Amino acid sequence: MNRVVGLGYIGEIWVIESTEGRANLYEEMFADKNIYLISLEADKLEEKGQSTRLFVIRAQ
């Protein structure tokens, strides 16, 4: 399951992939007025092509 829809919100799983090598990720990078919650699976990507998932709850 990649998406959950509720009354006034959507929960989604986003996949982030490193395109340039090492990357440090943090929730504020994805902040938006319509996003209520962000949860990172991993906050560091060490090499090009490595990926991680984010669980995002946002307004519809």
Side-chain angles (χ1 to χ4, degrees):
M1 176 180 357
N2 289 331
R3 186 175 219 195
V4 176
V5 178
L7 186 62
Y9 72 89
I10 298 172
E12 298 175 313
I13 296 174
W14 296 356
V15 177
I16 304 298
E17 183 176 329
S18 176
T19 58
E20 298 187 15
R22 181 171 280 193
N24 292 319
L25 305 173
Y26 48 94
E27 287 86 357
E28 292 82 8
M29 294 173 76
F30 307 96
D32 186 72
K33 66 179 183 171
N34 293 327
I35 294 179
Y36 303 132
L37 176 118
I38 298 169
S39 179
L40 293 163
E41 183 177 47
D43 62 353
K44 293 183 182 179
L45 302 176
E46 299 295 333
E47 57 191 45
K48 185 176 180 177
Q50 187 177 9
S51 64
T52 191
R53 296 179 295 177
L54 282 73
F55 182 65
V56 179
I57 297 178
R58 63 181 178 88
Q60 282 191 9

